[in-house]
Amino acid sequence: MKMSGGVEWALHCCVVLTGATEPVPAARLAAFHDVSPTYLAKQLQALSRAGLVRSVQGQAGGYQLTRDPQAITVLDVVEAVDGRQSAFVCTEIRQRGPFAATPEQCRVPCGIASVMYDADRAWRDSLRATTIADLAGRVGRDVGPETLPRAREWMAGRSG
Amino acid sequence: MKMSGGVEWALHCCVVLTGATEPVPAARLAAFHDVSPTYLAKQLQALSRAGLVRSVQGQAGGYQLTRDPQAITVLDVVEAVDGRQSAFVCTEIRQRGPFAATPEQCRVPCGIASVMYDADRAWRDSLRATTIADLAGRVGRDVGPETLPRAREWMAGRSG
DNA sequence: TTGTTTCCGGACAGTCTTTATCCGAGTTGA
DNA sequence: TCAACTCGGATAAAGACTGTCCGGAAACAA
């Protein structure tokens, strides 16, 4: 079981967009993180479809957050990029084989599936407890307070 | 993000083995669930390596649980088949690009990774809270009490 | 001993998701 | 108008998961 690497990229982008006052092009976000520009664009499109970022086209276009970073949870980003469905998919094994359960018995979900779904819910609850604003604040502490303004300035410049 | 389908098979097998008094061959477990025998064998080998089941070779051989079903958690099975590592892998994006963090700043784990690891821990804690015995008891209630003895008898027969 | 049954491990295709890239459609600003 | 720049979806390559097969070893029965 492995989560899409795009989730990590998307989260970093959201944190960076926290400090942006103007739309930031995808190419600039890719250069900032030193990742594949075209593939990062795909993740940003997913964020756009989910309504987490707004895409501005044209010469001064780019991406910007649609709402306050405090109102965007980590779960929002994960589900936007990686999908909303559970990692576990029940194939209804109980309905197969010589002792297959009857359809009436299968109106209640399989016990194994229930346990997996509960765990999935716990996972999502945990991700929902942290916001992009929380992450941004922590990055500010870890990396030192003087780096953020410089990064913000670099992000605003349209070249180099 | 998708979990290996073998996890579901392995869990069903563990539940079935709960009611067995003798070793059950892999081929019989596969027939019971109507799944690929060779691929199921792979999952059972993983359970064996993890020490959850004992493999008995020879004519009356097969698989049996090594300890009380109450002492085997769902997490044990999941980790045996799907691995013990987190679904999220941090690629240390913060150390790349024009504003790469210094190695000293990276002694503390990345904030994004921390959140993902916390969620992973919550997921595993949830899976650890249910045992194979719990699952077996629930199956007994769902499928009706008369099916289990019949299935047990079928499992004990060495043919058909 | 011999034969049968069974597990074990590795090597091998088929299939699907993830990863990565390109080119066209649409918008902005001059 | 025009040109430059952007996003967006459709299109290939890579890797992981799924599934299969075979040879080898161990245990049991005859």
Side-chain angles (χ1 to χ4, degrees):
Chain A
M1 181 172 56
K2 186 177 170 303
M3 172 162 21
S4 166
V7 171
E8 186 183 10
W9 298 11
L11 282 169
H12 276 277
C13 284
C14 285
V15 170
V16 166
L17 287 177
T18 292
T21 61
E22 304 170 8
V24 181
R28 183 148 287 256
L29 286 169
F32 184 86
H33 295 116
D34 186 26
V35 296
S36 160
T38 53
Y39 189 44
L40 179 63
K42 210 176 191 47
Q43 319 305 334
L44 292 170
Q45 286 166 25
L47 293 181
S48 177
R49 272 193 299 272
L52 300 180
V53 302
R54 178 197 331 282
S55 69
V56 180
Q57 290 195 340
Q59 213 157 12
Y63 288 98
Q64 55 189 4
L65 297 179
T66 54
R67 52 181 193 260
D68 196 274
Q70 218 165 355
I72 302 177
T73 70
V74 173
L75 179 64
D76 290 330
V77 178
V78 169
E79 290 190 333
V81 174
D82 212 53
R84 207 165 286 96
Q85 61 189 355
S86 165
F88 178 84
V89 285
C90 181
T91 59
E92 288 291 335
I93 287 184
R94 58 180 174 174
Q95 294 191 38
R96 307 173 58 174
F99 287 86
T102 63
E104 302 100 56
Q105 293 169 335
C106 292
R107 284 192 312 209
V108 289
C110 170
I112 289 174
S114 295
V115 173
M116 303 306 277
Y117 293 153
D118 283 347
D120 199 84
R121 204 168 299 124
W123 180 71
R124 289 186 148 79
D125 287 345
S126 180
L127 291 178
R128 206 192 333 265
T130 304
T131 70
I132 298 299
D134 297 332
L135 287 178
R138 169 159 178 175
V139 168
R141 285 201 309 277
D142 288 351
V143 84
E146 71 281 355
T147 307
L148 253 59
R150 286 179 51 218
R152 199 168 304 174
E153 192 177 350
W154 182 90
M155 202 69 64
R158 308 295 295 184
S159 66
Chain B
M1 180 172 54
K2 185 175 170 306
M3 173 162 22
S4 166
V7 170
E8 187 184 9
W9 297 12
L11 281 169
H12 276 277
C13 284
C14 285
V15 170
V16 166
L17 286 177
T18 292
T21 61
E22 303 170 7
V24 181
R28 184 148 285 258
L29 286 169
F32 184 87
H33 295 116
D34 187 26
V35 297
S36 159
T38 54
Y39 192 44
L40 179 63
K42 227 178 190 29
Q43 319 304 334
L44 291 170
Q45 286 167 23
L47 293 181
S48 177
R49 272 194 298 273
L52 299 180
V53 302
R54 178 197 329 283
S55 68
V56 179
Q57 292 193 342
Q59 209 158 13
Y63 289 97
Q64 55 189 4
L65 298 179
T66 55
R67 51 182 194 259
D68 196 274
Q70 217 166 357
I72 302 178
T73 69
V74 173
L75 179 64
D76 290 331
V77 179
V78 170
E79 290 190 333
V81 174
D82 212 53
R84 207 165 283 98
Q85 61 190 354
S86 165
F88 178 85
V89 286
C90 180
T91 59
E92 287 291 337
I93 287 184
R94 58 180 175 176
Q95 294 191 38
R96 307 172 59 173
F99 287 87
T102 63
E104 301 100 57
Q105 293 170 333
C106 294
R107 283 190 314 206
V108 289
C110 169
I112 290 173
S114 294
V115 173
M116 303 306 277
Y117 293 153
D118 283 347
D120 199 84
R121 204 168 300 124
W123 181 70
R124 289 187 148 77
D125 287 345
S126 180
L127 290 179
R128 208 194 328 267
T130 304
T131 69
I132 298 299
D134 296 334
L135 288 178
R138 170 159 177 177
V139 169
R141 286 201 310 276
D142 287 353
V143 84
E146 71 282 354
T147 306
L148 252 59
R150 285 179 51 219
R152 199 168 304 174
E153 192 177 352
W154 182 88
M155 203 69 64
R158 311 293 296 184
S159 66

